Each structure stands twice: as structure tokens, then as C-alpha cells.
């Protein structure tokens, strides 16, 4: 108790003396120094407090801002999705445009009237057999119509229409086992029958045993074909198969002129009339395009 | 715990006083948290602790102000001494003595501060009637909470 009193008296004396000195000599250097030191000690908590208060006061505004940003983010994501779709469509359209431009750049001799169609469905199981195209009876497509495709400015026979619906048709590719086309070799005029194998290559049968063949020879549709227009390219000799002693003819493997794996557009022949006069100027061709029909030649 | 509590209380009280008078003042009036705390600390911990805390809290108030450097330190250390010495005569555990003590000491504090102004600056640093009347009432209202905090800490830290 006495110790407490004594200690408190000492404290009282010390604190009072110090305070009185400060009060009496506020402008003296030691007091100014003390003041400065105290400011160094006391201001940081105030500064931190100020920063914390600012931070806390900005929390509701930040939270609202965050909500708004979230909403905006969602909206922008939706817009981005739409833009992605649009972009995909645009890219498709550009690609399509490029292809069409390439096709239109091709100078055709207008032998066959028909319409362009796009491949709209391809079954992976029947990759080399059939495809669906987006033109049908309403567009003038008829059963057994010949179908051509153009690659590197060359038209080539790729099959015939086997099923016609109002807006859709099924195209049986030449590579299907059920396909067969009377064909001949362009240089030697040996004639045979092309049949599909269900794969990427074709098979040309019934060629004479004594005939000689060169790789890369072009194979065209024979004039004897009742279904397909004559002289249209089908493919090129890829391989001469070894002679089968049980067969009385030679067999060639033919590689189609057009890569059927990347078929995008096809040309469906609507009529095979007599050969029209030489190529029309661009204006005439444009008129035909407007009417929804176009022509192509081998 | 008790070694951490007092430094934390010291700094926390500084920030609370500043924060309250900056952001929560009503018509420019805010309770003197440091005065109430000095009284409460002295009532529970004795004159040394009361004086010590009061003195340094007072220095803080003096550092923030421009006039009378040392006045708050002197007055708060005196309050701490006075309450610490008289704590055995007053029941600090009950509410009315706490409120009354803080109210009376607030008025005395205010008057002494004005008197110090008159002595050292030759002018009466009058805060106005509103402050003279309402700040002691605000201090008195705050007193039970501050006393409860110190009491709780005393019991918690043993």
C-alpha cells in the first residue's frame, strides 16, 4: 500500500513536471523534439486507421461495383457467345465465298444445266458411300441425276441421286459398292466398268488382258453410259492389279479426281441436253445463276 | 494475454478516440473516450497504471492539438492519480458511481483545461456551452461499457 502510494507519487511528480515543462516552454527545442518524436509514434496508428476506415467505407460501394461488374460480365459473356456464333457463321460464309469464287473463276464450257448443292450430312459409317445434299425435288432434282464436283478447276463425276425428297436428296457416291459407271481410258480408249469398293479407290473391270496401262492415265465416262454424261473425268489410274488366273480381264485401281473426303459442294445435273454453243459471257452466266441454275462442264 | 491486452488497449483507444471524433461526432461533439478509459483503468488497476495510461493518452491528444502541449497529459495523469487513490473509497463495480464519477470528472477536466488555458495562454479556451454540458453526459453514458470492458479484462487475465 505504502509502496503503491510512493510509486504513484513519484509518477505524479514525474508526469506533472514533464507536463508543466511542456506547458511552460512549448517552443523550446527539447519540447519540440519531444513533440516530433510523439508525432512519429502516434501518427502511424491514425494513418492506418484512416486507411482502414476508407477501405471499410468503400466496401459497400465496391460490393455494389462487384455485383454490377458480375452482371456486366455475364451480359458480356452472352454477347461474346453470340459474337462467337456470328464469327463462326462469318468464317463459314467467308470460306464458302472463297470456294464459290474459286468455282466461279473456273471457266466452264456450259454443257450441262444444273444446280449447286451443299453437302449437309455425311455418315461416318458410310463415308465413301452416300451423302445428303440440301437440294431436292422442289429445286428440280430428279432421281438418277448425275452429280459432279469441281476440284482444281476440273469437274469430275462423283455419283448420282438415288433418293429425292422435297428439299433434300441422297447422293450415291461412285465409291459405293452399288455404283457402277461405264468408263474409258482417255489415251487408249480401252473401255471398262468402274465399280465402287466402299473405300477411297475405285475399280475398273473388264479391260482386255493384252492391254497396257500407264499410271496416272485419266479415266472418263464412256459415251455408252445411259445415266451419266459422257467424257466427264472420273479419276486416274492408280494401280494395275495383278492378273487373276481365274478372270479373263484385267482390273485397275482408279483414284477419283475429286477428293471425296472433303466434299463440300456438288453440282447436280438437271438435264443433259445437246451441247450448247461456246461459253457465254459473264452476264449471261449471271442470269442463269439468278434463276437458280448453273452449268458446268468437264 | 494481459501483456498483449494493455498495449492493444492503448493503441486501440487512440484509434477509437480519433475515429469517433472524426466520423461519429454529433454536432462536433464526441465523448472523451480516453478520459473515461483513464478513469476506468485507474479504478481497476490503481494510480500507477491510471496515471501512466492517462499521461500517454494525454500526450497523444496534445500531439493532435496545437495549443497547450502537455495540458491533456497533465490532466489525464492527474485524473488517473485521483481515481487510483480514491478507488478504495468508491464501489467501482456498480453502475451509478461509475456514471457519476465520470460525469463529475469530465466537468472538472473541462474546467481545469480552461483554467490551464487562462494560465498559460492568457485566454479562456471555452469549448462552448453545448460541449460543456453534453460531453460529460456522453462520457457518463459511455462509462458503463468502458468499465465493463476493463472489468471483463481484469477477470479474464486474472
Amino acid at each position: 500500500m505504502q509502496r503503491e502510494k510512493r510509486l504513484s507519487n513519484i509518477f505524479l511528480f514525474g508526469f506533472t513536471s514533464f507536463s508543466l515543462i511542456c506547458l511552460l516552454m512549448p517552443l523550446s527545442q527539447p519540447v519540440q523534439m519531444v513533440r516530433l518524436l510523439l508525432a512519429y509514434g502516434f501518427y502511424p496508428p491514425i494513418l492506418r486507421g484512416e486507411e482502414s476506415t476508407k477501405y471499410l467505407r468503400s466496401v459497400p460501394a465496391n460490393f455494389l461495383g462487384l455485383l454490377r461488374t458480375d452482371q456486366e460480365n455475364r451480359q458480356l459473356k452472352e454477347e461474346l457467345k453470340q459474337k462467337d456464333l456470328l464469327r463462326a457463321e462469318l468464317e463459314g460464309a467467308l470460306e464458302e465465298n472463297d470456294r464459290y469464287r474459286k468455282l466461279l473463276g473456273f471457266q466452264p464450257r456450259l454443257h450441262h444445266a444444273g444446280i449447286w448443292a451443299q453437302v449437309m450430312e455425311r455418315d461416318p459409317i458410310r463415308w465413301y458411300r452416300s451423302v445428303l445434299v440440301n437440294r431436292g425435288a422442289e429445286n428440280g432434282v430428279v432421281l438418277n441425276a448425275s452429280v459432279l464436283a469441281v476440284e482444281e478447276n476440273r469437274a469430275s463425276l462423283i455419283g448420282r441421286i438415288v433418293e429425292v425428297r422435297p428439299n433434300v436428296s441422297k447422293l450415291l457416291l461412285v465409291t459405293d459398292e452399288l455404283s457402277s459407271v461405264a468408263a474409258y481410258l482417255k489415251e487408249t480408249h480401252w473401255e471398262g466398268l468402274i465399280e465402287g469398293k466402299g473405300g477411297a479407290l475405285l475399280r475398273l473391270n473388264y479391260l482386255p488382258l493384252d492391254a497396257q496401262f500407264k499410271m496416272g492415265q485419266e479415266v472418263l465416262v464412256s459415251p455408252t453410259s445411259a445415266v451419266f454424261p459422257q467424257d466427264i473425268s472420273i479419276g486416274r489410274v492408280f494401280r494395275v492389279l495383278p492378273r487373276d488366273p481365274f478372270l479373263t480381264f484385267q482390273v485397275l485401281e482408279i483414284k477419283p479426281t475429286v477428293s471425296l473426303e472433303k466434299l463440300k459442294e456438288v453440282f447436280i445435273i438437271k438435264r443433259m441436253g445437246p451441247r450448247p454453243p461456246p461459253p457465254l459471257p459473264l452476264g449471261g452466266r449471271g442470269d442463269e445463276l439468278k434463276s437458280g441454275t448453273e452449268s458446268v462442264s468437264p | 494475454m494481459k501483456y498483449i491486452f494493455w498495449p492493444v488497449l492503448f493503441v486501440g483507444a487512440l484509434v477509437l478516440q480519433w475515429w469517433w471524433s472524426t466520423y461519429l461526432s454529433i454536432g462536433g461533439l464526441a465523448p472523451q473516450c480516453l478520459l473515461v478509459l483513464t478513469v476506468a483503468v485507474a479504478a481497476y488497476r490503481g494510480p500507477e497504471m491510471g496515471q501512466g495510461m492517462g499521461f500517454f493518452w494525454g500526450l497523444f491528444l496534445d500531439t493532435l492539438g496545437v495549443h497547450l502541449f502537455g495540458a491533456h497529459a497533465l490532466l489525464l495523469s492527474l485524473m488517473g492519480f485521483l481515481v487510483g487513490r480514491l478507488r478504495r473509497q468508491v464501489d467501482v463495480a456498480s453502475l451509478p458511481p461509475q456514471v457519476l464519477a465520470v460525469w463529475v470528472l469530465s466537468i472538472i477536466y473541462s474546467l481545469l483545461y480552461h483554467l490551464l488555458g487562462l494560465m498559460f495562454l492568457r485566454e479562456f479556451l471555452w469549448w462552448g456551452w453545448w460541449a460543456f454540458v453534453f460531453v460529460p453526459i456522453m462520457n457518463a453514458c459511455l462509462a458503463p461499457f468502458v468499465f465493463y470492458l476493463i472489468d471483463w479484462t481484469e477477470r479474464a487475465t486474472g
Side-chain angles (χ1 to χ4, degrees):
Chain A
M1 186 72 179
Q2 283 303 316
R3 186 181 165 274
E4 185 188 291
K5 268 190 179 178
R6 200 169 55 246
L7 202 63
S8 65
N9 287 338
I10 293 168
F11 272 27
L12 179 69
F13 176 74
F15 291 147
T16 308
S17 307
F18 184 86
S19 304
L20 286 172
I21 289 168
C22 291
L23 283 166
L24 285 167
M25 298 184 290
L27 299 175
S28 64
Q29 200 178 0
V31 173
Q32 288 295 324
M33 284 290 290
V34 169
R35 199 167 184 166
L36 199 66
L37 280 172
L38 289 170
Y40 272 112
F42 287 135
Y43 285 170
I46 303 300
L47 203 64
R48 298 289 168 271
E50 174 71 21
E51 285 170 2
S52 307
T53 307
K54 269 186 188 168
Y55 177 77
L56 289 172
R57 283 161 78 96
S58 65
V59 163
N62 286 345
F63 184 69
L64 283 176
L66 200 65
L67 286 178
R68 271 193 224 106
T69 310
D70 183 55
Q71 280 181 336
E72 200 177 346
N73 191 33
R74 283 163 195 263
Q75 197 180 335
L76 287 172
K77 273 184 179 171
E78 283 299 313
E79 279 179 25
L80 202 62
K81 272 184 197 168
Q82 297 294 326
K83 290 275 190 300
D84 279 347
L85 280 173
L86 201 66
R87 192 174 140 193
E89 278 178 22
L90 186 67
E91 279 174 0
L94 282 173
E95 195 183 327
E96 194 179 350
N97 189 40
D98 281 348
R99 281 200 304 273
Y100 284 141
R101 285 179 68 173
K102 205 177 274 181
L103 290 170
L104 290 170
F106 167 53
Q107 298 295 315
R109 284 178 290 149
L110 305 174
H111 292 173
H112 310 292
I115 52 164
W116 285 100
Q118 286 179 316
V119 174
M120 55 180 282
E121 190 268 340
R122 190 162 197 170
D123 190 346
I125 300 168
R126 298 184 301 245
W127 198 253
Y128 289 102
R129 292 186 164 93
S130 63
V131 293
L132 278 182
V133 294
N134 65 344
R135 292 285 185 266
E138 286 181 6
N139 308 105
V141 178
V142 293
L143 202 63
N144 286 325
S146 303
V147 182
L148 312 181
V150 177
E151 192 175 284
E152 293 174 357
N153 287 348
R154 280 188 63 83
S156 173
L157 182 76
I158 58 163
R160 64 187 168 95
I161 298 295
V162 289
E163 198 176 305
V164 182
R165 290 180 187 169
N167 294 305
V168 176
S169 303
K170 188 178 278 183
L171 159 62
L172 185 76
L173 296 171
V174 285
T175 43
D176 186 274
E177 289 101 327
L178 293 175
S179 281
S180 58
V181 184
Y184 71 98
L185 289 156
K186 189 178 179 182
E187 292 174 18
T188 56
H189 288 269
W190 292 116
E191 193 163 329
L193 188 70
I194 280 186
E195 289 173 333
K197 292 169 68 180
L201 298 174
L202 302 164
R203 181 187 169 100
L204 180 56
N205 294 318
Y206 311 121
L207 294 167
L209 288 170
D210 57 345
Q212 298 293 316
F213 309 103
K214 283 193 289 185
M215 297 302 111
Q217 269 188 295
E218 193 172 14
V219 181
L220 307 175
V221 176
S222 166
T224 58
S225 173
V227 178
F228 301 106
Q230 66 179 52
D231 297 332
I232 291 178
S233 174
I234 302 172
R236 290 182 181 278
V237 175
F238 182 70
R239 191 161 71 108
V240 181
L241 292 179
R243 290 184 183 182
D244 187 338
F246 296 100
L247 294 178
T248 57
F249 55 84
Q250 282 194 84
V251 180
L252 302 180
E253 266 192 336
I254 307 297
K255 187 178 182 184
T257 313
V258 171
S259 307
L260 297 175
E261 298 88 352
K262 49 184 182 184
L263 210 54
K264 290 279 192 296
E265 286 91 26
V266 297
F267 185 79
I268 304 169
I269 295 174
K270 289 165 79 172
R271 59 183 163 78
M272 291 191 293
R275 289 188 179 225
L280 289 174
L282 191 61
R285 198 160 161 267
D287 292 343
E288 279 204 3
L289 273 171
K290 278 179 195 166
S291 66
T293 57
E294 201 181 349
S295 300
V296 71
S297 78
Chain B
M1 171 78 178
K2 66 179 173 185
Y3 298 110
I4 298 169
F5 174 76
W6 295 108
V8 169
L9 177 75
F10 180 77
V11 179
L14 301 181
V15 176
L16 178 72
Q17 175 69 66
W18 161 81
W19 186 76
W20 200 318
S21 40
T22 309
Y23 293 105
L24 278 186
S25 61
I26 304 162
L29 304 179
Q32 293 166 308
C33 304
L34 297 180
L35 172 63
V36 183
L37 273 162
T38 303
V39 173
V41 169
Y44 278 96
R45 298 286 300 185
E48 302 93 344
M49 187 70 124
Q51 276 185 100
M53 296 287 263
F55 177 74
F56 287 106
W57 278 330
L59 282 178
F60 166 72
L61 291 175
D62 288 326
T63 310
L64 289 185
V66 269
H67 301 298
L68 287 175
F69 182 70
H72 287 295
L74 176 65
L75 293 178
L76 284 180
S77 61
L78 279 176
M79 294 292 156
F81 175 78
L82 196 67
V83 175
R85 276 295 177 84
L86 296 174
R87 66 183 173 134
R88 301 198 194 279
Q89 280 76 47
V90 181
D91 178 19
V92 290
S94 63
L95 193 69
Q98 291 171 2
V99 173
L100 193 67
V102 169
W103 182 69
V104 171
L105 288 171
S106 298
I107 292 170
I108 295 169
Y109 183 91
S110 177
L111 288 171
L112 285 175
Y113 188 81
H114 301 148
L115 195 66
L116 284 174
L118 201 62
M119 281 169 67
F120 292 100
L121 293 176
R122 308 232 180 260
E123 59 176 311
F124 198 69
L125 294 172
W126 181 240
W127 294 337
W129 283 105
W130 283 102
F132 185 74
V133 173
F134 285 105
V135 171
I137 292 172
M138 285 171 139
N139 293 346
C141 293
L142 188 67
F145 301 103
V146 175
F147 273 77
Y148 176 78
L149 173 74
I150 304 297
D151 182 46
W152 176 80
T153 314
E154 279 293 295
R155 278 188 274 118
T157 57

